[in-house]
Amino acid sequence: MNRLITFVLMMLATTAMAQVDVESIPDWYNNPPTSARKIYAAGTATGPTVDVAEKKATMDAKIQLARQVGQVKYLSKDGESITTEVVKAELRDVRVERKKVISTGNSHTVFVLVSMKKKNMKRES
């Protein structure tokens, strides 16, 4: 029983360390810039290394960008509560504009802002 309590307390401490202070979140993450020439999207991820977290955050941002420029379809199975989101978009010349890394213990959270020129946007049919 004592082992279970110790384990639960250790897990709670680990979870608390992995959380990011709300004040540390960059403003551009919640309010991406707007432009007549570019489309912006932000992503975030947490990982055991900065490199892993950055790759995951960049992928998250690209997914958000794809949702803006492509077609989104939702597929669900009859009788089940499983829904799949399918995004069809072509992303070209996506650039990382900004990045912020927050490290706490063995956990690293990365925020990424990506952009794509509107002239590179091609809507899929």
Side-chain angles (χ1 to χ4, degrees):
M1 182 70 168
N2 285 339
R3 283 186 166 177
L4 177 62
I5 293 171
T6 303
F7 177 74
V8 170
L9 290 175
M10 286 176 55
M11 292 304 294
L12 288 173
T14 303
T15 304
M17 286 192 306
Q19 294 177 353
V20 175
D21 183 15
V22 175
E23 293 176 8
S24 300
I25 299 171
D27 184 52
W28 49 260
Y29 176 76
N30 290 320
N31 302 302
T34 57
S35 168
R37 294 183 176 189
K38 292 182 181 180
I39 301 167
Y40 293 91
T44 187
T46 300
T49 66
V50 174
D51 187 49
V52 168
E54 183 177 351
K55 287 177 182 175
K56 289 168 52 177
T58 302
M59 181 59 67
D60 181 40
K62 287 180 178 179
I63 291 168
Q64 301 305 322
L65 192 63
R67 285 183 178 137
Q68 291 181 55
V69 302
Q71 293 181 340
V72 179
K73 293 181 183 178
Y74 294 95
L75 308 173
S76 60
K77 291 187 176 185
D78 291 337
E80 296 182 35
S81 62
I82 299 173
T83 302
T84 303
E85 180 181 52
V86 179
V87 181
K88 187 176 181 183
E90 184 177 328
L91 302 179
R92 292 184 274 173
D93 196 27
V94 175
R95 297 176 187 245
V96 174
E97 297 280 337
R98 294 184 183 174
K99 175 178 68 170
K100 181 173 182 179
V101 178
I102 300 172
S103 297
T104 53
N106 294 331
S107 180
H108 308 278
T109 301
V110 176
F111 296 89
V112 174
L113 179 71
V114 299
S115 71
M116 184 175 82
K117 292 180 181 177
K118 288 183 179 180
K119 70 179 186 178
N120 290 338
M121 189 173 82
K122 177 182 173 186
R123 294 226 182 241
E124 296 289 327
S125 54

